[in-house]
């Protein structure tokens, strides 16, 4: 099972250079707390690894068949391999066979992209104001752009690219501002990862989406428990191509706690809302239910953001819009935020 991609590799012709890759490599990287001494709490590590293994195996099943088994048995288990540990804060790397185009394969989307699809729904999004405040606190940004404003999208994107290129310096400062930037940069990577596979991702219909989310959300919550004592942050990287490392998840303790105490509804809800605020670039916004004056934050997942972009802008001119959402609820089952995945024509 081989995939041929351009990259830093052996020369095979005068005009092209390719590398044959048979395995997708995903690295889970912990930093801070016990992981800084190359340790994890045994119980927390076991819970994380069990949840990550179940999530990965079921995503491989979904990748091949468009569905997954409730129980993982010898027959339904897939060949995701645990790679040897390397020196660092604490890393766990897995090797996943690529799904190649075949009649029996539902999607050829890599497992890392399917993880991104899930994280886009389970995790909330950073607001532009939080990101802009964090950018303005960076000396290099202030020197080049002066003060960045919330509505200057082009400058925000330029500033983020500069910060992304200085990732090493950013990761060494663990204040609240840099956490917002780390989070947004990971969101942008998921956007690139999913955007490149739009044709395959679009095969996931509402029914499959519901099943995926019902399966994955509690497992992501289990993975987040590793940030109680074992580490301060968890990052997930796609390192499939030799010499490359693309981070598509950044999770700190505050984000992890929100995931642990929250529950994403298993089913989509159709409801009338008033969309009060929306950022086309980030997919973050605020809406008001027809039964309340309170505002609730919502996010639009990257893989549907482009399709809904202009439609949401039009709907903001109306007092009521019929939308499809997943509620994200707290332990008291009260709505904390929403995931907006569709608009219904009336």
């Amino acid at each position: 099972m081989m995939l041929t991609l351009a990259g830093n590799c052996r020369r095979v012709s005068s005009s092209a250079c390719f590398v044959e890759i048979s395995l997708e490599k995903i690295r889970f990287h912990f930093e801070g707390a016990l992981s800084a001494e190359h340790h994890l709490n045994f119980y927390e590590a076991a819970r994380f690894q069990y949840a990550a293994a179940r999530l990965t195996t079921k995503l491989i099943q979904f990748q091949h068949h468009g569905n997954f088994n409730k129980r993982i048995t010898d027959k339904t288990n897939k060949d995701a391999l645990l790679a040897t540990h390397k020196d660092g804060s604490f890393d766990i790397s897995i090797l996943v066979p690529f799904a190649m185009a075949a009649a029996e394969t539902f999607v050829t989307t890599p497992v890392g992209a399917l993880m991104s699809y899930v994280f886009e729904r389970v995790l909330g999004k950073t607001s532009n104001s939080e990101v802009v405040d964090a950018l303005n606190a960076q000396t290099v940004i202030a020197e080049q752009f002066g003060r960045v404003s919330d509505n200057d999208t082009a400058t925000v994107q330029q500033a983020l690219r500069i910060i992304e290129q200085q990732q090493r310096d950013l990761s060494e400062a663990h204040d609240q501002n840099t956490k917002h930037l780390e989070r947004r940069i990971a969101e942008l990577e998921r956007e690139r990862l999913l955007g490149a596979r739009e044709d395959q991702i679009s095969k996931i219909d509402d029914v499959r989406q519901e099943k995926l989310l019902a399966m994955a959300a509690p497992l992501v919550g289990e993975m987040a428990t590793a940030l109680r004592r074992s580490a301060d942050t968890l990052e997930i990287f796609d390192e499939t191509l030799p010499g490359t490392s693309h981070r598509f998840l950044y999770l700190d303790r505050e984000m992890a706690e929100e995931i642990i105490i929250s529950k994403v509804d298993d089913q989509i809800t159709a409801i009338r809302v008033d969309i009060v605020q929306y950022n086309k670039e980030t997919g973050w916004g605020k809406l008001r239910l027809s039964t309340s004056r309170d505002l609730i934050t919502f996010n639009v997942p990257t893989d549907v953001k482009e399709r809904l972009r202009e439609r949401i802008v039009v709907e903001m001119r109306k007092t009521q819009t019929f939308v499809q959402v997943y509620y994200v609820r707290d332990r008291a089952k009260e709505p904390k935020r929403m995931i907006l995945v569709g608009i219904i024509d009336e």
Side-chain angles (χ1 to χ4, degrees), residues 31 166-175 178 182 235:
E31 286 222 7
Q166 299 181 342
Q167 196 74 44
R168 185 183 298 276
D169 296 335
L170 186 64
S171 63
E172 291 173 357
H174 295 291
D175 57 45
T178 55
E182 298 273 26
E235 299 164 277

Side-chain angles (χ1 to χ4, degrees), residues 13 31 182 196 209 219 238 241 265 294 318 325 332:
S13 74
E31 286 222 7
E182 298 273 26
Q209 178 181 224
L219 294 178
D238 179 349
L241 279 174
D265 280 0
D294 296 333
K318 303 178 182 178
V325 300

Side-chain angles (χ1 to χ4, degrees), residues 275-303:
I275 301 174
V276 177
Q277 181 181 346
Y278 184 62
N279 186 300
K280 299 189 295 186
E281 301 299 325
T282 65
W284 185 92
K286 292 183 179 181
L287 57 78
R288 183 181 288 115
L289 302 179
S290 58
T291 55
S292 171
R293 299 303 302 166
D294 296 333
L295 292 176
I296 299 178
T297 61
F298 73 92
N299 67 275
V300 179
T302 288
D303 49 282

Side-chain angles (χ1 to χ4, degrees), residues 117-170:
Y117 179 92
V118 168
F119 295 146
E120 277 291 295
R121 285 151 177 77
V122 175
L123 304 178
K125 294 245 185 181
T126 47
S127 71
N128 226 36
S129 60
E130 289 174 326
V131 172
V132 167
D133 287 345
L135 286 171
N136 286 325
Q138 304 297 313
T139 303
V140 65
I141 300 304
E143 290 175 349
Q144 184 154 343
F145 299 103
R147 187 161 187 83
V148 182
S149 64
D150 285 19
N151 56 5
D152 189 351
T153 301
T155 302
V156 170
Q157 297 296 82
Q158 280 182 275
L160 283 169
R161 280 194 289 271
I162 291 171
I163 294 296
E164 192 171 5
Q165 290 166 0
Q166 299 181 342
Q167 196 74 44
R168 185 183 298 276
D169 296 335
L170 186 64

Side-chain angles (χ1 to χ4, degrees), residues 95-114:
L95 302 172
V96 182
F98 266 106
M100 307 305 287
E104 65 275 12
T105 300
F106 175 61
V107 289
T108 56
T109 307
V111 169
L114 290 175

Side-chain angles (χ1 to χ4, degrees), residues 237-249:
F237 296 84
D238 179 349
E239 298 185 336
T240 303
L241 279 174
T244 66
S245 184
H246 302 288
R247 183 183 60 177
F248 59 89
L249 177 74

